[in-house]
Amino acid sequence: MSNFNLHGLSVSNGIAIGKAYLLSNALIEVEHFSIELKDIKKEVKRYKKVVQQVNAELSKIKKDFLKINRSEFEGLINTHLMMLKDRNFNDDVIKIIESKRCNAEWAVKIQLDKIVLRFDQIDDSYIKERKLDVIQVAERITKALLGQTNNLSSRQLDNNTILIAHDISPADALIFKHNHYHGFITEIGGTNSHTAILARSLSIPSIVSIPMARKLIKNDDVVIVDGYSGTAIINPSNKVLKEYEQKKDLWDLEQKKLNKIRHFKNQTLDHRRILLMANIEEKQDLKTVKDNKADGIGLFRTEFLFMNRDDLPDENEQFENYSAIVKELANKEIVIRTLDSGADKMTVADTKKSPNPALGLRAIRLCLSEPRLFLTQLRAILKASAFGKVKILIPMISSIDELKQTKLLIERAKQSLTKDKIKYDKNIQVGGMIEVPAVAINADFFAKELDFLSIGTNDLIQYTLAIDRTDDSVSHLYNSIHPSVLKLMAETIKAAKKYNKQVSVCGEMAGDPKLTRLLLGMGVENFSMHPASILHVKKQILSTNIQKLKNITNKILRTNEPEVIETLILKINQSRHEQNYE
Ligand code: PEP
Ligand code: MG
């Protein structure tokens, strides 16, 4: 086994050691080639044999799942087994092989395209769900025809896996979240894409942007993911393996040490109480929220409820979802962000393809263009507000007009609930995400009009520096401490303070402990991050005296040279502030 290193972009710290599991996208990779007349029978036989093989594979998976009591998968596997036996599907594939004299993989693709087109013409949610089943079965057959392993389900039980994929969509990452993978490597992706954010929230070491990873790494190769440097070491020597095992033990020890500060009050050495809130995607995240003693939810990304499905969640489903979280965290503040769909977070609500998704009909723009969809969500959030401290957060506001329209729709949702005699918090606060430079430049006006502000640094950086956050070819230019970004943030914080409005930072910057002191010096007292980062940031807060940061932060904000800013940030992180929590 050859030993080599690959370099990419680190998205989540730590060391993972495991065996590679290659995720393929067989349906995209299918090639078309002609079969000679004399070989057609052989090709049909190959297809039939593969269908039998997949059938046996699925039956085994079904048995495995039942053995470990995961009966919820039984129905799904039965549907797939039934589809494999569907004579219409199989007969049509065989007819295509014979009439078009093409390879079986191509025939499956043609047959699948035909069925998907038919499904798309029927407006019925049950039928739409079946479409996904057909796609999954076709993918499974195609992989088997290509000689690729299909055993993801049995691998899901394996804790020792490093996933190697071309890309992982946020929707896929959500599924993977419930399995225990040791690490991710993807061929494309930027460090601030939503997939990277999810990887960080899983707290597992991950690297993106290693082109050809799936060509160079083979299934079951031993892989070390060094999440600090963005290096993947394939089939390491015993010496290197030992070295990394030691590093991993040190990392685990560091994590355990952090546990000591879980119960400490979040306050600086000069007694400023700082709020450490959590960013969540779904209810299942509440365990880590509680484990890390978050002060509340500073950003609930509701769009994840709209993913991996063909139908829109109705008002009741949304209400159940939101209110369950509100009730579980009784007395804690929950900031529910309205649907931020589009760009790299495609959901069932996105019906049109945009030529430039990051600048297209996404987030609040999409909701305002679909008032029924928006009103349904607003009613659900308002209903949940009767059970606790809920705030509404609007993503990607870019103009006064949008804000006015949004407020009008919130009013309409309130009136309809009053008419229906349904309880809600009549004084619910409405805040805006500051992620478009046009708003940050004019923060004074927006601070006056909104109840609170939340700086979404991920998008603010993307739009200020004109860098697609998902594009690895420009990710070296993505710079969270770019002087222009810091100036926009400083203006926003100043405006919020002027009108006595709460301002938080909820982008990835809030969870980066290297930036905690800078943000504290800039006046941020509310940080919202994925829960796995809370203790790392807290450690910084406990050892910081904000008073001592004032001069140096002002100096940073007056500087236009990125290198000087970097040096000054290093300096504030190194300086000792009287005493240490340890
Ligand atoms: C942001 O843009 O900083 C943010 C928090 O929102 P998201 O990452 O979901 O776009
Ligand atoms: Mg955003």
Side-chain angles (χ1 to χ4, degrees), residues 45-68:
K45 207 165 146 199
R46 184 169 79 95
Y47 174 71
K48 285 185 176 165
K49 200 169 152 211
V50 156
V51 171
Q52 273 175 5
Q53 175 195 324
V54 173
N55 200 355
E57 239 174 54
L58 276 176
S59 305
K60 180 170 181 315
I61 290 170
K62 183 173 148 187
K63 237 167 72 194
D64 287 349
F65 272 131
L66 288 177
K67 248 192 256 161
I68 53 157

CSV table of all heavy atoms in Angstrom, one decimal, residues 45-68:
chain,number,residue,atom,x,y,z
A,45,LYS,N,-27.8,-10.3,-19.5
A,45,LYS,CA,-27.5,-11.2,-18.4
A,45,LYS,C,-26.8,-10.5,-17.3
A,45,LYS,O,-27.1,-10.7,-16.1
A,45,LYS,CB,-26.6,-12.4,-19.0
A,45,LYS,CG,-26.8,-13.7,-18.3
A,45,LYS,CD,-26.2,-14.8,-19.1
A,45,LYS,CE,-25.7,-15.8,-18.1
A,45,LYS,NZ,-24.7,-16.7,-18.7
A,46,ARG,N,-25.9,-9.7,-17.6
A,46,ARG,CA,-25.1,-8.9,-16.6
A,46,ARG,C,-26.1,-8.1,-15.8
A,46,ARG,O,-26.0,-8.0,-14.5
A,46,ARG,CB,-24.1,-8.0,-17.3
A,46,ARG,CG,-23.2,-7.3,-16.3
A,46,ARG,CD,-22.0,-6.6,-17.0
A,46,ARG,NE,-22.4,-5.3,-17.7
A,46,ARG,CZ,-22.2,-4.1,-17.1
A,46,ARG,NH1,-21.7,-4.0,-15.9
A,46,ARG,NH2,-22.6,-3.1,-17.8
A,47,TYR,N,-27.0,-7.4,-16.5
A,47,TYR,CA,-28.0,-6.6,-15.8
A,47,TYR,C,-28.8,-7.4,-14.8
A,47,TYR,O,-29.0,-7.1,-13.6
A,47,TYR,CB,-28.9,-5.9,-16.8
A,47,TYR,CG,-30.0,-5.1,-16.1
A,47,TYR,CD1,-29.7,-3.9,-15.4
A,47,TYR,CD2,-31.3,-5.6,-16.1
A,47,TYR,CE1,-30.7,-3.3,-14.7
A,47,TYR,CE2,-32.3,-4.9,-15.4
A,47,TYR,CZ,-32.0,-3.7,-14.7
A,47,TYR,OH,-33.0,-3.1,-14.0
A,48,LYS,N,-29.3,-8.6,-15.3
A,48,LYS,CA,-30.2,-9.4,-14.5
A,48,LYS,C,-29.5,-9.9,-13.2
A,48,LYS,O,-30.0,-10.0,-12.1
A,48,LYS,CB,-30.7,-10.6,-15.3
A,48,LYS,CG,-31.8,-10.2,-16.3
A,48,LYS,CD,-32.4,-11.5,-16.9
A,48,LYS,CE,-33.5,-11.1,-17.9
A,48,LYS,NZ,-33.8,-12.2,-18.8
A,49,LYS,N,-28.2,-10.3,-13.5
A,49,LYS,CA,-27.4,-10.8,-12.4
A,49,LYS,C,-27.2,-9.7,-11.3
A,49,LYS,O,-27.3,-10.0,-10.1
A,49,LYS,CB,-26.0,-11.2,-12.9
A,49,LYS,CG,-25.3,-12.2,-12.0
A,49,LYS,CD,-24.1,-12.8,-12.7
A,49,LYS,CE,-23.1,-13.2,-11.6
A,49,LYS,NZ,-21.8,-13.1,-12.0
A,50,VAL,N,-27.0,-8.5,-11.7
A,50,VAL,CA,-26.7,-7.4,-10.8
A,50,VAL,C,-28.0,-7.1,-10.0
A,50,VAL,O,-27.9,-6.9,-8.8
A,50,VAL,CB,-26.2,-6.2,-11.5
A,50,VAL,CG1,-26.5,-4.9,-10.8
A,50,VAL,CG2,-24.7,-6.3,-11.7
A,51,VAL,N,-29.2,-7.2,-10.6
A,51,VAL,CA,-30.4,-7.0,-9.9
A,51,VAL,C,-30.5,-8.0,-8.8
A,51,VAL,O,-30.9,-7.7,-7.7
A,51,VAL,CB,-31.6,-7.0,-10.9
A,51,VAL,CG1,-32.9,-7.0,-10.1
A,51,VAL,CG2,-31.6,-5.8,-11.8
A,52,GLN,N,-30.2,-9.3,-9.1
A,52,GLN,CA,-30.2,-10.3,-8.1
A,52,GLN,C,-29.3,-10.0,-7.0
A,52,GLN,O,-29.6,-10.2,-5.8
A,52,GLN,CB,-29.8,-11.7,-8.7
A,52,GLN,CG,-31.0,-12.4,-9.4
A,52,GLN,CD,-30.6,-13.6,-10.1
A,52,GLN,OE1,-29.4,-14.0,-10.0
A,52,GLN,NE2,-31.5,-14.3,-10.8
A,53,GLN,N,-28.1,-9.6,-7.4
A,53,GLN,CA,-27.0,-9.3,-6.3
A,53,GLN,C,-27.5,-8.2,-5.4
A,53,GLN,O,-27.4,-8.3,-4.2
A,53,GLN,CB,-25.8,-8.9,-7.1
A,53,GLN,CG,-24.6,-8.4,-6.2
A,53,GLN,CD,-23.6,-7.7,-7.0
A,53,GLN,OE1,-23.3,-8.0,-8.2
A,53,GLN,NE2,-23.0,-6.6,-6.5
A,54,VAL,N,-28.1,-7.1,-6.0
A,54,VAL,CA,-28.6,-6.0,-5.2
A,54,VAL,C,-29.7,-6.5,-4.3
A,54,VAL,O,-29.8,-6.1,-3.1
A,54,VAL,CB,-29.0,-4.8,-6.1
A,54,VAL,CG1,-29.7,-3.7,-5.3
A,54,VAL,CG2,-27.9,-4.3,-6.8
A,55,ASN,N,-30.6,-7.3,-4.8
A,55,ASN,CA,-31.6,-7.9,-4.0
A,55,ASN,C,-31.1,-8.6,-2.8
A,55,ASN,O,-31.6,-8.4,-1.6
A,55,ASN,CB,-32.4,-8.9,-4.9
A,55,ASN,CG,-33.8,-9.2,-4.4
A,55,ASN,OD1,-34.1,-8.7,-3.4
A,55,ASN,ND2,-34.5,-10.0,-5.2
A,56,ALA,N,-30.1,-9.4,-3.0
A,56,ALA,CA,-29.5,-10.2,-1.9
A,56,ALA,C,-28.9,-9.2,-0.9
A,56,ALA,O,-29.0,-9.3,0.4
A,56,ALA,CB,-28.4,-11.1,-2.4
A,57,GLU,N,-28.2,-8.1,-1.4
A,57,GLU,CA,-27.6,-7.1,-0.5
A,57,GLU,C,-28.6,-6.4,0.4
A,57,GLU,O,-28.4,-6.3,1.6
A,57,GLU,CB,-27.0,-6.0,-1.5
A,57,GLU,CG,-25.5,-5.8,-1.4
A,57,GLU,CD,-25.2,-4.8,-2.5
A,57,GLU,OE1,-25.8,-3.7,-2.6
A,57,GLU,OE2,-24.3,-5.2,-3.3
A,58,LEU,N,-29.7,-6.0,-0.3
A,58,LEU,CA,-30.7,-5.3,0.5
A,58,LEU,C,-31.4,-6.2,1.5
A,58,LEU,O,-31.7,-5.8,2.7
A,58,LEU,CB,-31.8,-4.8,-0.5
A,58,LEU,CG,-31.6,-3.5,-1.1
A,58,LEU,CD1,-32.7,-3.2,-2.1
A,58,LEU,CD2,-31.5,-2.4,-0.1
A,59,SER,N,-31.6,-7.5,1.2
A,59,SER,CA,-32.2,-8.4,2.2
A,59,SER,C,-31.2,-8.6,3.3
A,59,SER,O,-31.7,-8.7,4.5
A,59,SER,CB,-32.4,-9.8,1.5
A,59,SER,OG,-33.2,-9.7,0.4
A,60,LYS,N,-29.9,-8.6,3.1
A,60,LYS,CA,-29.0,-8.7,4.2
A,60,LYS,C,-29.0,-7.5,5.1
A,60,LYS,O,-29.0,-7.6,6.3
A,60,LYS,CB,-27.6,-8.9,3.6
A,60,LYS,CG,-26.6,-9.1,4.7
A,60,LYS,CD,-25.2,-9.5,4.3
A,60,LYS,CE,-24.2,-9.7,5.4
A,60,LYS,NZ,-24.2,-8.6,6.4
A,61,ILE,N,-29.1,-6.3,4.4
A,61,ILE,CA,-29.1,-5.0,5.2
A,61,ILE,C,-30.4,-5.0,6.1
A,61,ILE,O,-30.3,-4.7,7.3
A,61,ILE,CB,-29.1,-3.8,4.3
A,61,ILE,CG1,-27.7,-3.7,3.6
A,61,ILE,CG2,-29.4,-2.5,5.0
A,61,ILE,CD1,-27.7,-2.7,2.5
A,62,LYS,N,-31.5,-5.5,5.5
A,62,LYS,CA,-32.7,-5.5,6.3
A,62,LYS,C,-32.6,-6.4,7.5
A,62,LYS,O,-32.9,-6.0,8.6
A,62,LYS,CB,-33.8,-6.1,5.4
A,62,LYS,CG,-35.2,-6.1,6.0
A,62,LYS,CD,-36.2,-6.5,5.0
A,62,LYS,CE,-37.4,-7.3,5.6
A,62,LYS,NZ,-38.3,-7.8,4.7
A,63,LYS,N,-31.9,-7.6,7.3
A,63,LYS,CA,-31.7,-8.5,8.4
A,63,LYS,C,-30.8,-7.8,9.5
A,63,LYS,O,-31.1,-7.9,10.7
A,63,LYS,CB,-31.1,-9.8,7.9
A,63,LYS,CG,-31.9,-11.0,8.3
A,63,LYS,CD,-31.5,-12.2,7.6
A,63,LYS,CE,-30.2,-12.8,8.1
A,63,LYS,NZ,-29.7,-13.9,7.2
A,64,ASP,N,-29.7,-7.2,9.0
A,64,ASP,CA,-28.8,-6.5,10.0
A,64,ASP,C,-29.5,-5.4,10.8
A,64,ASP,O,-29.3,-5.3,12.0
A,64,ASP,CB,-27.6,-5.8,9.2
A,64,ASP,CG,-26.7,-6.8,8.6
A,64,ASP,OD1,-26.8,-8.0,9.0
A,64,ASP,OD2,-25.8,-6.4,7.8
A,65,PHE,N,-30.3,-4.6,10.1
A,65,PHE,CA,-31.0,-3.6,10.8
A,65,PHE,C,-32.0,-4.1,11.9
A,65,PHE,O,-32.1,-3.6,13.0
A,65,PHE,CB,-31.8,-2.7,9.9
A,65,PHE,CG,-31.0,-1.5,9.3
A,65,PHE,CD1,-30.9,-1.3,8.0
A,65,PHE,CD2,-30.2,-0.7,10.2
A,65,PHE,CE1,-30.2,-0.2,7.5
A,65,PHE,CE2,-29.5,0.3,9.7
A,65,PHE,CZ,-29.4,0.6,8.3
A,66,LEU,N,-32.7,-5.2,11.5
A,66,LEU,CA,-33.6,-5.8,12.4
A,66,LEU,C,-32.9,-6.4,13.6
A,66,LEU,O,-33.4,-6.3,14.8
A,66,LEU,CB,-34.5,-6.9,11.7
A,66,LEU,CG,-35.5,-6.3,10.7
A,66,LEU,CD1,-36.2,-7.4,10.0
A,66,LEU,CD2,-36.5,-5.4,11.4
A,67,LYS,N,-31.7,-6.9,13.4
A,67,LYS,CA,-30.9,-7.5,14.5
A,67,LYS,C,-30.6,-6.4,15.5
A,67,LYS,O,-30.6,-6.7,16.7
A,67,LYS,CB,-29.6,-8.0,13.9
A,67,LYS,CG,-29.5,-9.6,14.0
A,67,LYS,CD,-28.1,-10.0,13.7
A,67,LYS,CE,-28.0,-10.6,12.3
A,67,LYS,NZ,-26.7,-10.6,11.8
A,68,ILE,N,-30.3,-5.2,15.1
A,68,ILE,CA,-30.0,-4.1,16.0
A,68,ILE,C,-31.2,-3.2,16.3
A,68,ILE,O,-31.0,-2.1,16.7
A,68,ILE,CB,-28.8,-3.3,15.6
A,68,ILE,CG1,-29.1,-2.8,14.2
A,68,ILE,CG2,-27.5,-4.0,15.6
A,68,ILE,CD1,-28.3,-1.5,13.9
